[in-house]
């Protein structure tokens, strides 16, 4: 059975972090502790980011924080964003919350037990027999992998309604104690956000579009665990960003794409638009080089990165929303790189219903 995208929405928390002010704040907090910080100042400009959003106000970052403070704000801000994104997607689909049969929740930036969809269940008005599918640890690949899980759930139960919600609070991983280069890069890149999508085997869209998904595909490279992920210690989550990521993507990403295309009976020439997770400006450049795309063609990816930073898993759905609203049609492939080191893919076809 074919699964369709019936609704899509994005959400951000209330605190805007303009990049120029982040640079000033980071210089004041990290500069005295990290001797090489001045050498990395240019990355705040070269990142291509103008602003981001956070569940925490600027002053929260001024004093050291531990697990309790970080996770408490993750639970509070993450639940709020879950509700905002979920309500937006349901409204876009014309669904009521009590019609949802399955909820897939994707997150990697905090620990919630009960999980976020349970915390939001009463406020949202979900049924008490809704199937909950929480997914943790996919990192930046979580948005695409989440779509693949939701597609599989919808296709396996024709007529059921599946809600995917992806929530990340990356800014809460800010560290002023470790002083590794990866922590500085995370400070340059990270933002918070959420996205949600409604999938079912019935196309209920009111805008006349058919947006149909194929099955997802993943490729995980052997001996690459050190490239991306979290270090977990008593203070919180410490980011792992290997400097090799752009070069690795340039060299290896295309092979994973060809595997995904072959698995879904597609050829490279059939793809009208790749919809990519913009992990950073260098990664977007690397994807274009790897796939032989014209430099700058991934314009929506750069626009999302400019306005929201790298929000990890939800970011690719922000890009998809941007691409659809810009009127793109035809065969697409959503893709993202994440810890594992893993590339995640899902094909989608977009056309007018009467085409």
């Amino acid at each position: 059975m074919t699964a369709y995208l019936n609704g899509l929405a994005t959400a951000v928390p209330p605190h805007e972090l303009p990049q120029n002010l982040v640079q000033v704040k980071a210089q004041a907090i990290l500069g005295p502790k990290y001797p090489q910080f001045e050498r990395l100042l240019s990355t705040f400009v070269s990142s291509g980011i103008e602003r981001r959003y956070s569940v925490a106000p600027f002053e929260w970052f001024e004093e050291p924080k531990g697990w309790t403070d970080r996770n408490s704000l993750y639970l509070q801000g993450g639940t709020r964003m879950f509700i905002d994104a979920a309500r937006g997607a349901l409204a876009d689909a014309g669904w009521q919350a009590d019609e949802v049969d399955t909820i897939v929740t994707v997150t990697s930036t905090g620990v919630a037990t009960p999980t976020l969809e349970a915390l939001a269940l009463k406020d949202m008005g979900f049924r008490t027999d809704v199937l909950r599918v929480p997914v943790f640890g996919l990192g930046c690949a979580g948005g695409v992998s989440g779509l693949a899980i939701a597609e599989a759930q919808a296709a396996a139960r024709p007529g059921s309604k599946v809600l995917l919600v992806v929530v990340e609070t990356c800014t809460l991983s800010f560290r002023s104690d470790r002083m590794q280069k990866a922590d500085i890069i995370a400070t340059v890149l990270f933002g918070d956000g959420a996205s949600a999508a409604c999938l079912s085997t019935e196309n209920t869209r009111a805008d006349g579009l058919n947006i149909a998904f194929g099955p997802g595909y993943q490729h995980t490279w052997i001996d690459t665990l050190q490239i991306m992920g979290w270090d977990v210690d008593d203070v919180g989550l410490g980011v792992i960003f290997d400097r090799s990521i752009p070069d690795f993507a340039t060299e290896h990403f295309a092979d994973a794409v060809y595997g995904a295309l072959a698995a879904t009976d597609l050829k490279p020439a059939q793809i009208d638009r790749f919809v990519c997770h913009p992990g950073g400006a260098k990664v977007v450049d690397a994807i274009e080089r790897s796939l032989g795309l014209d430099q700058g063609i991934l314009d929506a990816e750069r626009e999302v990165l400019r306005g929201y930073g790298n929000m990890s898993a939800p970011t690719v759905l922000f890009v998809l929303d941007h691409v659809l609203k810009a009127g793109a049609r035809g065969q697409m492939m959503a893709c993202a790189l994440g810890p594992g080191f893993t590339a995640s893919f899902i094909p989608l076809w977009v056309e007018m219903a009467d085409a």
Side-chain angles (χ1 to χ4, degrees), residues 14-310:
H15 302 288
E16 183 177 342
L17 307 182
Q19 185 77 325
N20 61 330
L21 297 185
V22 172
Q23 177 178 331
V24 171
K25 183 69 73 173
Q27 192 168 11
I29 297 172
L30 303 178
K33 299 179 180 182
Y34 189 72
Q36 295 178 304
F37 182 83
E38 295 296 323
R39 190 166 56 85
L40 296 173
L41 267 178
S42 62
T43 59
F44 283 90
V45 177
S46 64
S47 67
I49 296 170
E50 293 181 359
R51 68 177 181 275
R52 286 152 300 146
Y53 296 86
S54 175
V55 296
F58 260 122
E59 56 268 21
W60 185 89
F61 300 96
E62 295 174 354
E63 300 296 331
K65 298 294 190 298
W67 257 114
T68 300
D69 290 326
R70 297 175 193 275
N71 209 61
S72 176
L73 197 48
Y74 162 79
L75 293 172
Q76 176 186 337
T79 303
R80 182 68 260 167
M81 285 196 293
F82 180 104
I83 292 172
D84 290 345
R87 285 177 174 167
L90 291 172
D92 191 43
W95 295 2
Q96 299 299 314
D98 61 4
E99 296 178 288
V100 174
D101 300 295
T102 303
I103 307 168
V104 179
T105 304
V106 175
T107 189
S108 297
T109 45
V111 179
T113 306
T115 45
L116 294 178
E117 75 286 340
L119 298 178
L121 188 143
K122 182 178 179 180
D123 284 345
M124 285 295 305
F126 295 131
R127 297 198 316 268
T128 56
D129 66 343
V130 68
L131 177 64
R132 295 166 48 213
V133 185
V135 181
F136 180 86
L138 293 171
C140 293
V144 175
S145 293
L147 282 172
I149 294 168
E151 183 276 333
Q153 288 284 328
R157 301 173 65 195
S160 68
K161 290 180 168 60
V162 180
L163 172 66
L164 167 69
V165 187
V166 189
V167 179
E168 301 291 13
T169 58
C170 301
T171 64
L172 300 184
S173 66
F174 175 76
R175 300 288 291 264
S176 60
D177 60 309
R178 300 197 320 165
M179 289 301 94
Q180 298 178 17
K181 183 179 179 180
D183 298 305
I184 308 298
I185 300 304
T187 302
V188 171
L189 293 177
F190 277 165
D192 300 342
S195 52
C198 296
L199 284 77
S200 75
T201 55
E202 300 173 0
N203 184 14
T204 64
R205 298 182 65 92
D207 60 5
L209 278 179
N210 273 335
I211 305 174
F213 289 105
Y217 177 88
Q218 287 185 350
H219 178 85
T220 300
W221 289 275
I222 302 298
D223 296 328
T224 57
L225 297 176
Q226 77 286 355
I227 289 183
M228 182 186 291
W230 293 124
D231 277 329
V232 183
D233 58 28
D234 292 340
V235 176
L237 302 173
V239 69
I240 300 171
F241 276 154
D242 193 278
R243 64 184 299 174
S244 68
I245 292 174
D247 290 340
F248 189 96
T250 299
E251 184 175 353
H252 298 289
F253 186 66
D255 289 339
V257 170
Y258 298 146
L261 292 171
T264 51
D265 295 323
L266 292 169
K267 296 186 180 352
Q270 293 177 271
I271 303 301
D272 297 300
R273 179 63 157 89
F274 286 97
V275 178
C276 304
H277 167 68
K282 290 183 178 180
V283 175
V284 177
D285 291 343
I287 291 172
E288 289 176 338
R289 287 194 300 270
S290 182
L291 298 180
L293 302 175
D294 292 339
Q295 185 69 28
I297 198 168
L298 298 179
D299 53 347
E301 286 79 354
R302 291 183 173 87
E303 184 65 25
V304 169
L305 188 66
R306 185 179 302 114
Y308 301 95
N310 181 353

